Amino acid sequence: VLTLAPLVSGVIARGEAIVQQRTGPRVRQPYFDIVKLLGKETVLPGPAGFLFRAAPYVSFAGYATVPLLIPVLTTYGLPLGYMGDILGGGLILGGAGFAISIAAIDSGSPYAQLGSSRLRTFGALNEPTVIFVVFVVALTTHTDLPYVLGATLRASTVEVVRPSHLLIIAAFFMLVLNETGRIPVGSHGGTLEFGQIDEGRVSEHSGPGLAFLRWGSSVKQLVLYTIFANVLLAPWGLASSGRLDLVVVAIALLAGKALAIGVVVIVIECSFAKLRLYKLPEFTVSSFMLAVLAVVIFLFQPGFGDLRLTVFGAAATVTAVFVLLLELGMLRSQDVWEQLGLYAVGSAVVAALAIATAASGHGNGSLYILAAVTIALKALLFPIGIRFVLRRLEADPRVPSTIGVPSALLIAVALAAFAFVVIRPIHIGTIAALPLSALPVAVGGVLVAFLLMVLRPYAPSQLLGFLILENAVSVASLVIAPGLPIILALLLLFDLLIGVLVFVVLVQYLAIERTAVRTDMLDRLTG
Amino acid sequence: MSWALIALGLVPLIAAALSLTCDWRLARAATAVAGLVSLGLAIAVAIAVEHGRTLQAADGWVRLDSLGAVFLLATGLLYAVAGVYSVGYLHADEQTRDFARFARRYFALLNLFGWSMLLVPLAADFGTLWVTVELTTVISALLVATDRTDAALEASWKYVLIASSGLGIALLAIIVLYATGTHALGDAYLPRFARLIAHAHGSSIDAVRLAFVLAVVGFGTKVGFVPMHTWLPDAHSEAPAPVSALLSGSLLAGAFYAILRFFQVAVAAGERSFAEHVLIVFGALSLIVASLFVLRQSNYKRLLAYSSIEHMGVIALGIGFGAPLAVAGALLHVITHASAKGLAFFGAGSLLRGYDTKEIAEVTGAGTAMPWTGPMFLAAALALCGLPLSGVFRSEFQIVCGGFAEPQYVGVTLLLVFVNLAFFGILWHAGRMVLTPPAGSGVARGEASAWLVAGMLGCLFVVIALGVHLPGDLSALLTNAGHRLASPAR
């Protein structure tokens, strides 16, 4: 891990540069940096004491210990594996971060202190997320040793696609982004002081101290990626014994997984802007909410009987959760173009579910037609058409919510949990248990769509609320009624088309008569 | 007779096409003729199915039984008189600029609206049913917005948004129902009413209950059940008078018809008392809230709109009571309410043309200023309150008797108290508008157009005729439809 970590950092930096059409640093650059820094002398700031000098080594030791506790390469615990559970690992990571923060304060530099205080402020919100993630792990496995969770997932793959587990994955991924200081939270390699959180703290260090801090931070990044990949997402391909060939395969796979995550991170870094600083709590709160929802869902998930893994079931739950997450994203978004984009992605996912359903032998071939029509209408025609109309009307793209994002998300999570409580006692037909667990998620999606309509007093957003409502219903229909005759499904879509046309006509009327597409001005008719 | 079903689906479409392409005078005539032809066809097919026959056409996609025929009659009646009345209603605008375009669009939409509502009782499966109900929503939303005033746009936006969201829930209900059917019917099947009803026995009770509640909430949004009724007074008060009449008498009933199809499945699955309780709760709630709102209205079209909510509550109670007499009364109430509310909205439209205001306080002395409209508006108010001689009296009386026979004392007591409260409210307001001495000379005397009077007279005739004597054919139809609700599997 220690040797691999800088490589991952280097690859991400290089990949990002390539996407941004720069040449970028060499992949091995982090190694050179570390070696170079090790050879330099240390310059201490005036007020610094022993804490400042000790911090790099303490934190590096901390980061280097954690890999012993988590399944990096092997399925069985290393000799020390049972010394600490996930919380223990978290504690050590936190302790290492704490040492750096203390050192930053000790340095007396305002930048370093600012970075440190920012990190603490936002980091405080991360801890409840970690705790709730651990709750779900504990509920699933009755322990919180990372090895055991990995083993449980290997034993029954079906656990991965349970809605609660999918939500945990999403929450933890947001946490990883946050903890490693990636966009949209911080900018990793940036030199601009305003954007710095993680980097700000180390700005006073130099020489070998800085080398260890850099190295330590890339180790931390890899450790988090490893937990994400080997514990939560895909705990396969680990060496089950100490044989050399297995270990080599495991190393290669670990590198592959870490790089795959790195690619996702690159895509996110390059396609989103950094959030404004005071928006950051929204981000952490979102990940916390997802973790809470996961726990609630786990507690209330219906006893549908035996869970058997099928492609259809997995696709159904993944799609349902994904659509729900996109809806939450729309709830957070304050920009109508962004909402349109999210809607288009959601529709494409629904179409993908239709294809997966047909491919796995449920329903019949006509679902391919349905998928094609879905993509044509909902992923292309509607978003592009609505965008065109709004552009022509020169509508203001900002659609602020009437209440704050965290409260909106709280309500949304409560609604989604409510859906689970309601659906729980209901038994439907002969559908297998796994796809059925996607049904409450879809119903939750319907409720969240209502919430979006209520919270946005803007005609385009309300129209989109109606459309995502329809998307959630589509997921439900694919899940519990995949055999619905194609002619009916097409009729429904045709009806939707007419409905959207009428909506658009009305939006135009509104824009022409009222010079705005706000709907909270519509308050004449009461009583 | 099945050719008549196809004809019912074609005639309004042809009229709509003519309205779009031809001169507005031809559009006007085509609309009136199409309405009358549709009414004739509706009566013909209703007579054909009155003893329990089922008509089918187009490979089983189009289907009509006695239950659907009741609603088909209500729609046919209102479509016909609204077509005639529209001729007079637009008369006043003829001098305005762009009238020709406006009139063509209006008549085309009116025909499409009538077409979509005629299709609702002709649907043979739950999917098509949902599609047709949603069609009525979107088309009528455009009609509500015809006037293009601020208030009309507001009403239209609220309407289409709330009603469409409600129908989203209804779609969920249909999907849940479909899933329960997979047990007996296999993975892929058409959710035809008859098939689902025949196989309802033995399907999951929880799922059927869930589907029914979702359907009552979803379609109930369009019926105007409290608390999902908020769009209704706005849309009814801002739409042109003929459209208001169609909305109130036909569109609400059409959505209620969809609920009745779910009711049938619930009964067939052995969940009759559960379904009845749900309907009683929603019906009583709507009745209570609406009658209280009737008392404090200052806008006479909104007054009528709340009265519609009240009457939908009465119908729901009648079905919920479950006695055969009450069920037949509730179905009769669909028709009597359509005719009485048509009359009332037409009267309101004429008053609006005469006085140019919707405020109750500003309309005085209508009895002398408008020699036809005034008395007929008062007659409509009396009929809506359920005074003897009007058909509404007969249907409400049947519902009350049925409730006592069941016995459902709580429901009947609520019904009597709040219907009387609404009676008082409507009569108080209508009396002030019609029976007071006329104020000032600003109001032109006389009627705007003979066509307005003709439309109203048609409705008045039906209201009184149904009150005085119930035709044997209609009574057979209602009884048969009641049987279908009570024991759908037979």
Side-chain angles (χ1 to χ4, degrees):
Chain A
V1 171
L2 295 189
T3 50
L4 198 59
L7 178 69
V8 174
S9 295
V11 168
I12 291 181
R14 178 64 189 252
E16 223 170 84
I18 292 172
V19 174
Q20 288 164 357
Q21 302 193 333
R22 291 187 282 117
T23 315
R26 275 168 299 174
V27 169
R28 287 168 296 156
Q29 188 63 37
Y31 295 104
F32 297 145
D33 281 350
I34 290 167
V35 171
K36 180 185 74 185
L37 286 169
L38 279 176
K40 291 200 170 181
E41 62 172 325
T42 306
V43 181
L44 291 178
F50 79 97
L51 275 174
F52 183 81
R53 260 168 295 159
Y57 309 104
V58 172
S59 68
F60 184 77
Y63 291 138
T65 315
V66 179
L68 295 177
L69 298 178
I70 59 171
V72 178
L73 296 175
T74 53
T75 56
Y76 56 90
L78 292 174
L80 287 175
Y82 290 93
M83 298 280 285
D85 49 19
I86 287 191
L87 275 184
L91 214 60
I92 296 174
L93 283 181
F98 177 72
I100 303 179
S101 296
I102 289 289
I105 292 172
D106 196 27
S107 73
S109 150
Y111 286 139
Q113 288 186 0
L114 194 62
S116 185
S117 77
R118 281 176 182 174
L119 189 78
R120 287 300 116 194
T121 314
F122 305 132
L125 292 165
N126 283 337
E127 264 138 44
T129 315
V130 175
I131 291 175
F132 272 83
V133 169
V134 174
F135 275 175
V136 173
V137 173
L139 283 167
T140 321
T141 60
H142 308 295
T143 169
D144 54 355
L145 282 172
Y147 284 102
V148 180
L149 178 64
T152 312
L153 291 185
R154 271 190 302 276
S156 62
T157 316
V158 69
E159 297 285 347
V160 179
V161 292
R162 287 260 273 263
S164 52
H165 196 84
L166 291 170
L167 284 170
I168 286 295
I169 290 176
F172 197 80
F173 184 65
M174 290 172 82
L175 186 81
V176 170
L177 283 182
N178 197 341
E179 281 287 317
T180 52
R182 292 287 173 187
I183 280 175
V185 180
S187 56
H188 196 62
T191 46
L192 201 66
E193 285 82 0
F194 293 116
Q196 287 177 351
I197 296 177
D198 231 19
E199 293 277 298
R201 295 188 305 169
V202 299
S203 59
E204 291 299 320
H205 287 277
S206 59
L210 183 56
F212 276 111
L213 283 175
R214 285 271 169 83
W215 197 357
S217 93
S218 42
V219 170
K220 175 187 172 191
Q221 172 173 310
L222 183 61
V223 163
L224 287 172
Y225 287 3
T226 311
I227 296 179
F228 184 66
N230 279 355
V231 179
L232 292 174
L233 193 57
W236 294 279
L238 297 177
S240 53
S241 68
R243 276 169 47 205
L244 188 63
D245 51 341
L246 286 178
V247 173
V248 169
V249 168
I251 291 176
L253 271 174
L254 176 65
K257 286 175 195 169
L259 291 182
I261 298 174
V263 168
V264 175
V265 170
I266 291 172
V267 169
I268 290 177
E269 287 226 284
C270 294
S271 45
F272 289 94
K274 202 186 92 62
L275 286 171
R276 271 171 296 175
L277 205 58
Y278 62 88
K279 292 276 186 194
L280 281 185
E282 286 179 10
F283 186 82
T284 43
V285 165
S286 315
S287 78
F288 173 55
M289 289 295 174
L290 290 181
V292 172
L293 182 61
V295 170
V296 176
I297 285 182
F298 192 93
L299 290 179
F300 283 100
Q301 70 186 344
F304 289 130
D306 71 322
L307 295 159
R308 270 181 298 104
L309 182 71
T310 54
V311 177
F312 171 52
T317 46
V318 171
T319 310
V321 171
F322 204 74
V323 167
L324 184 66
L325 287 180
L326 287 173
E327 287 192 10
L328 294 179
M330 287 176 79
L331 206 56
R332 196 204 67 78
S333 165
Q334 315 281 331
D335 180 281
V336 74
W337 307 135
E338 198 175 295
Q339 291 185 331
L340 272 173
L342 287 174
Y343 168 68
V345 174
S347 310
V349 172
V350 174
L353 174 61
I355 294 175
T357 309
S360 63
H362 292 77
N364 46 30
S366 57
L367 278 178
Y368 291 116
I369 306 174
L370 181 65
V373 177
T374 302
I375 287 187
L377 269 186
K378 296 206 288 193
L380 295 175
L381 181 66
F382 290 168
I384 293 173
I386 294 173
R387 169 177 283 256
F388 173 76
V389 169
L390 288 182
R391 282 231 188 280
R392 225 190 38 184
L393 295 174
E394 290 170 0
D396 188 358
R398 283 169 302 155
V399 283
S401 168
T402 48
I403 63 172
V405 170
S407 359
L409 285 177
L410 184 64
I411 300 175
V413 165
L415 284 175
F418 173 74
F420 267 82
V421 177
V422 171
I423 301 286
R424 189 185 188 192
I426 289 176
H427 301 281
I428 293 173
T430 53
I431 301 137
L434 184 61
L436 205 50
S437 60
L439 177 64
V441 183
V443 174
V446 171
L447 295 176
V448 174
F450 277 126
L451 185 67
L452 183 73
M453 283 196 247
V454 171
L455 292 182
R456 296 294 152 85
Y458 295 88
S461 289
Q462 289 179 340
L463 169 57
L464 281 176
F466 170 65
L467 287 174
I468 57 173
L469 189 157
E470 198 274 339
N471 257 356
V473 175
S474 303
V475 173
S477 102
L478 282 171
V479 170
I480 65 174
L484 194 70
I486 181 74
I487 179 108
L488 281 185
L490 288 181
L491 265 180
L492 297 184
L493 278 177
F494 171 71
D495 222 32
L496 189 69
L497 173 66
I498 297 182
V500 170
L501 281 181
V502 169
F503 267 107
V504 167
V505 168
L506 283 177
V507 169
Q508 277 181 318
Y509 284 178
L510 279 175
I512 293 165
E513 306 283 332
R514 306 294 302 257
T515 63
V517 288
R518 294 182 63 105
T519 51
D520 53 353
M521 290 199 281
L522 303 178
D523 53 1
R524 282 170 42 117
L525 302 174
T526 50
Chain B
M1 275 309 280
S2 46
W3 58 268
L5 300 184
I6 305 292
L8 264 177
L10 283 182
V11 169
L13 265 190
I14 295 170
L18 281 178
S19 310
L20 272 184
T21 48
C22 301
D23 184 65
W24 65 268
R25 290 182 190 78
L26 183 66
R28 196 168 71 174
T31 307
V33 170
L36 290 170
V37 170
S38 300
L39 177 59
L41 287 171
I43 292 174
V45 291
I47 289 172
V49 298
E50 72 182 26
H51 293 297
R53 243 180 87 196
T54 309
L55 291 180
Q56 291 197 341
D59 202 19
W61 284 89
V62 177
R63 171 184 180 277
L64 186 78
D65 60 14
S66 49
L67 185 60
V70 175
F71 293 84
L72 195 65
L73 278 181
T75 301
L77 171 69
L78 275 179
Y79 179 33
V81 283
V84 173
Y85 183 86
S86 290
V87 174
Y89 191 74
L90 291 195
H91 188 67
D93 290 336
E94 268 173 35
Q95 310 315 323
T96 52
R97 222 158 44 83
D98 264 355
F99 174 75
R101 259 187 62 207
F102 170 77
R104 280 215 306 272
R105 211 178 50 220
Y106 171 82
F107 281 116
L109 281 174
L110 190 70
N111 283 318
L112 281 177
F113 186 33
W115 170 71
S116 62
M117 285 195 303
L118 288 172
L119 288 188
V120 171
L122 293 182
D125 61 279
F126 281 101
T128 321
L129 180 69
W130 187 90
V131 169
T132 50
V133 173
E134 170 71 11
L135 261 186
T136 62
T137 310
V138 292
I139 296 175
S140 54
L142 287 181
L143 275 171
V144 172
T146 348
D147 281 352
R148 294 274 205 114
T149 58
D150 284 0
L153 286 178
E154 175 183 343
S156 173
W157 182 258
K158 270 191 194 172
Y159 168 43
V160 74
L161 198 68
I162 296 177
S164 297
S165 310
L167 288 178
I169 295 182
L171 187 57
L172 208 56
I174 290 173
I175 287 163
V176 170
L177 198 63
Y178 186 94
T180 65
T182 51
H183 203 67
L185 293 162
D187 242 3
Y189 67 98
L190 269 177
R192 295 260 157 86
F193 301 136
R195 226 183 282 174
L196 267 173
I197 288 168
H199 292 95
H201 198 73
S203 56
S204 156
I205 297 299
D206 296 329
V208 171
R209 286 186 175 192
L210 178 70
F212 185 71
V213 171
L214 285 176
V216 171
V217 171
F219 286 116
T221 307
K222 273 198 88 181
V223 176
F225 284 150
V226 174
M228 294 86 74
H229 69 288
T230 45
W231 62 271
L232 194 147
D234 303 345
H236 283 57
S237 66
E238 297 308 323
V243 179
S244 307
L246 277 170
L247 281 176
S248 169
S250 182
L251 177 117
L252 306 187
F256 195 85
Y257 165 78
I259 293 181
L260 286 184
R261 288 296 179 192
F262 277 88
F263 183 80
Q264 279 187 312
V265 176
V267 171
E271 284 299 297
R272 180 173 184 141
S273 61
F274 173 80
E276 287 180 351
H277 278 123
V278 172
L279 281 181
I280 287 182
V281 167
F282 274 99
L285 197 60
S286 309
L287 178 63
I288 293 170
V289 172
S291 57
L292 292 177
F293 269 97
V294 160
L295 286 179
R296 57 167 291 264
Q297 275 311 308
S298 62
N299 173 325
Y300 54 84
K301 284 187 85 173
R302 292 181 80 83
L303 176 83
L304 294 177
Y306 277 107
S307 152
S308 296
I309 301 178
E310 178 219 328
H311 282 280
M312 287 302 134
V314 170
I315 296 177
L317 279 176
I319 303 285
F321 286 160
L325 192 59
V327 171
L331 293 173
L332 176 61
H333 200 78
V334 170
I335 298 180
T336 54
H337 170 251
S339 53
K341 196 45 74 60
L343 178 59
F345 269 116
F346 292 153
S350 301
L351 288 177
L352 181 62
R353 282 293 187 222
Y355 286 84
D356 203 23
T357 174
K358 289 176 190 166
E359 293 300 309
I360 291 174
E362 292 171 30
V363 177
T364 48
T368 44
M370 305 178 91
W372 287 90
T373 302
M376 274 202 282
F377 186 69
L378 193 62
L382 290 173
L384 277 178
C385 304
L387 224 63
L389 265 195
S390 84
V392 180
F393 170 74
R394 180 189 294 274
S395 50
E396 284 187 352
F397 189 69
Q398 280 188 8
I399 293 174
V400 170
C401 288
F404 275 122
E406 189 54 19
Q408 294 268 10
Y409 293 122
V410 180
V412 174
T413 315
L414 283 177
L415 180 74
L416 287 176
V417 169
F418 285 97
V419 162
N420 276 310
L421 200 64
F423 174 93
F424 173 74
I426 293 179
L427 211 58
W428 164 256
H429 291 305
R432 273 209 319 202
M433 289 163 68
V434 177
L435 298 179
T436 44
S441 54
V443 178
R445 290 179 158 260
E447 299 295 333
S449 159
W451 291 103
L452 294 178
V453 179
M456 286 190 271
L457 275 178
C459 280
L460 186 65
F461 172 72
V462 174
V463 174
I464 304 284
L466 288 180
V468 175
H469 171 70
L470 197 61
D473 285 328
L474 184 59
S475 130
L477 180 74
L478 293 173
T479 318
N480 193 270
H483 283 318
R484 279 184 185 276
L485 278 178
S487 48
R490 209 158 39 84

PDB file of all heavy atoms in Angstrom, chain B residues 36-49:
ATOM      1  N   LEU B  36     -75.393  16.224 -30.615  1.00  0.00           N
ATOM      2  CA  LEU B  36     -76.721  15.597 -30.645  1.00  0.00           C
ATOM      3  C   LEU B  36     -76.631  14.160 -31.143  1.00  0.00           C
ATOM      4  O   LEU B  36     -77.283  13.262 -30.588  1.00  0.00           O
ATOM      5  CB  LEU B  36     -77.655  16.424 -31.519  1.00  0.00           C
ATOM      6  CG  LEU B  36     -78.026  17.779 -30.882  1.00  0.00           C
ATOM      7  CD1 LEU B  36     -78.744  18.674 -31.875  1.00  0.00           C
ATOM      8  CD2 LEU B  36     -78.887  17.555 -29.651  1.00  0.00           C
ATOM      9  N   VAL B  37     -75.814  13.940 -32.167  1.00  0.00           N
ATOM     10  CA  VAL B  37     -75.661  12.571 -32.679  1.00  0.00           C
ATOM     11  C   VAL B  37     -75.095  11.669 -31.583  1.00  0.00           C
ATOM     12  O   VAL B  37     -75.563  10.534 -31.370  1.00  0.00           O
ATOM     13  CB  VAL B  37     -74.748  12.560 -33.919  1.00  0.00           C
ATOM     14  CG1 VAL B  37     -74.396  11.138 -34.300  1.00  0.00           C
ATOM     15  CG2 VAL B  37     -75.420  13.276 -35.073  1.00  0.00           C
ATOM     16  N   SER B  38     -74.075  12.185 -30.858  1.00  0.00           N
ATOM     17  CA  SER B  38     -73.484  11.364 -29.800  1.00  0.00           C
ATOM     18  C   SER B  38     -74.519  11.011 -28.744  1.00  0.00           C
ATOM     19  O   SER B  38     -74.565   9.882 -28.241  1.00  0.00           O
ATOM     20  CB  SER B  38     -72.332  12.111 -29.133  1.00  0.00           C
ATOM     21  OG  SER B  38     -71.357  12.412 -30.065  1.00  0.00           O
ATOM     22  N   LEU B  39     -75.359  11.987 -28.402  1.00  0.00           N
ATOM     23  CA  LEU B  39     -76.392  11.714 -27.400  1.00  0.00           C
ATOM     24  C   LEU B  39     -77.316  10.607 -27.899  1.00  0.00           C
ATOM     25  O   LEU B  39     -77.631   9.664 -27.154  1.00  0.00           O
ATOM     26  CB  LEU B  39     -77.186  12.990 -27.117  1.00  0.00           C
ATOM     27  CG  LEU B  39     -78.358  12.817 -26.143  1.00  0.00           C
ATOM     28  CD1 LEU B  39     -77.863  12.303 -24.807  1.00  0.00           C
ATOM     29  CD2 LEU B  39     -79.106  14.130 -25.966  1.00  0.00           C
ATOM     30  N   GLY B  40     -77.724  10.727 -29.204  1.00  0.00           N
ATOM     31  CA  GLY B  40     -78.597   9.699 -29.747  1.00  0.00           C
ATOM     32  C   GLY B  40     -77.942   8.328 -29.688  1.00  0.00           C
ATOM     33  O   GLY B  40     -78.555   7.346 -29.251  1.00  0.00           O
ATOM     34  N   LEU B  41     -76.673   8.260 -30.095  1.00  0.00           N
ATOM     35  CA  LEU B  41     -75.962   6.978 -30.070  1.00  0.00           C
ATOM     36  C   LEU B  41     -75.860   6.450 -28.653  1.00  0.00           C
ATOM     37  O   LEU B  41     -76.034   5.244 -28.402  1.00  0.00           O
ATOM     38  CB  LEU B  41     -74.560   7.156 -30.659  1.00  0.00           C
ATOM     39  CG  LEU B  41     -74.492   7.336 -32.166  1.00  0.00           C
ATOM     40  CD1 LEU B  41     -73.084   7.731 -32.574  1.00  0.00           C
ATOM     41  CD2 LEU B  41     -74.893   6.043 -32.854  1.00  0.00           C
ATOM     42  N   ALA B  42     -75.586   7.373 -27.700  1.00  0.00           N
ATOM     43  CA  ALA B  42     -75.442   6.939 -26.311  1.00  0.00           C
ATOM     44  C   ALA B  42     -76.735   6.319 -25.815  1.00  0.00           C
ATOM     45  O   ALA B  42     -76.728   5.264 -25.168  1.00  0.00           O
ATOM     46  CB  ALA B  42     -75.047   8.126 -25.433  1.00  0.00           C
ATOM     47  N   ILE B  43     -77.868   6.971 -26.154  1.00  0.00           N
ATOM     48  CA  ILE B  43     -79.153   6.419 -25.708  1.00  0.00           C
ATOM     49  C   ILE B  43     -79.375   5.060 -26.348  1.00  0.00           C
ATOM     50  O   ILE B  43     -79.783   4.096 -25.680  1.00  0.00           O
ATOM     51  CB  ILE B  43     -80.286   7.395 -26.061  1.00  0.00           C
ATOM     52  CG1 ILE B  43     -80.135   8.668 -25.215  1.00  0.00           C
ATOM     53  CG2 ILE B  43     -81.636   6.760 -25.804  1.00  0.00           C
ATOM     54  CD1 ILE B  43     -81.111   9.753 -25.570  1.00  0.00           C
ATOM     55  N   ALA B  44     -79.037   4.961 -27.639  1.00  0.00           N
ATOM     56  CA  ALA B  44     -79.261   3.697 -28.338  1.00  0.00           C
ATOM     57  C   ALA B  44     -78.464   2.560 -27.706  1.00  0.00           C
ATOM     58  O   ALA B  44     -79.003   1.485 -27.407  1.00  0.00           O
ATOM     59  CB  ALA B  44     -78.878   3.851 -29.806  1.00  0.00           C
ATOM     60  N   VAL B  45     -77.160   2.808 -27.438  1.00  0.00           N
ATOM     61  CA  VAL B  45     -76.362   1.698 -26.882  1.00  0.00           C
ATOM     62  C   VAL B  45     -76.768   1.425 -25.438  1.00  0.00           C
ATOM     63  O   VAL B  45     -76.725   0.281 -24.978  1.00  0.00           O
ATOM     64  CB  VAL B  45     -74.850   1.980 -26.963  1.00  0.00           C
ATOM     65  CG1 VAL B  45     -74.389   1.954 -28.388  1.00  0.00           C
ATOM     66  CG2 VAL B  45     -74.486   3.267 -26.279  1.00  0.00           C
ATOM     67  N   ALA B  46     -77.225   2.473 -24.722  1.00  0.00           N
ATOM     68  CA  ALA B  46     -77.650   2.247 -23.349  1.00  0.00           C
ATOM     69  C   ALA B  46     -78.848   1.317 -23.321  1.00  0.00           C
ATOM     70  O   ALA B  46     -78.951   0.434 -22.465  1.00  0.00           O
ATOM     71  CB  ALA B  46     -77.990   3.572 -22.679  1.00  0.00           C
ATOM     72  N   ILE B  47     -79.767   1.526 -24.271  1.00  0.00           N
ATOM     73  CA  ILE B  47     -80.932   0.641 -24.321  1.00  0.00           C
ATOM     74  C   ILE B  47     -80.498  -0.776 -24.656  1.00  0.00           C
ATOM     75  O   ILE B  47     -81.022  -1.752 -24.122  1.00  0.00           O
ATOM     76  CB  ILE B  47     -81.944   1.178 -25.357  1.00  0.00           C
ATOM     77  CG1 ILE B  47     -82.579   2.452 -24.790  1.00  0.00           C
ATOM     78  CG2 ILE B  47     -83.001   0.147 -25.664  1.00  0.00           C
ATOM     79  CD1 ILE B  47     -83.446   3.180 -25.758  1.00  0.00           C
ATOM     80  N   ALA B  48     -79.471  -0.878 -25.508  1.00  0.00           N
ATOM     81  CA  ALA B  48     -79.022  -2.210 -25.905  1.00  0.00           C
ATOM     82  C   ALA B  48     -78.424  -2.986 -24.736  1.00  0.00           C
ATOM     83  O   ALA B  48     -78.523  -4.210 -24.691  1.00  0.00           O
ATOM     84  CB  ALA B  48     -78.000  -2.105 -27.032  1.00  0.00           C
ATOM     85  N   VAL B  49     -77.782  -2.293 -23.799  1.00  0.00           N
ATOM     86  CA  VAL B  49     -77.087  -3.036 -22.738  1.00  0.00           C
ATOM     87  C   VAL B  49     -77.883  -3.073 -21.437  1.00  0.00           C
ATOM     88  O   VAL B  49     -77.396  -3.555 -20.432  1.00  0.00           O
ATOM     89  CB  VAL B  49     -75.694  -2.421 -22.436  1.00  0.00           C
ATOM     90  CG1 VAL B  49     -74.818  -2.487 -23.657  1.00  0.00           C
ATOM     91  CG2 VAL B  49     -75.815  -1.019 -21.917  1.00  0.00           C
TER      92      VAL B  49
END
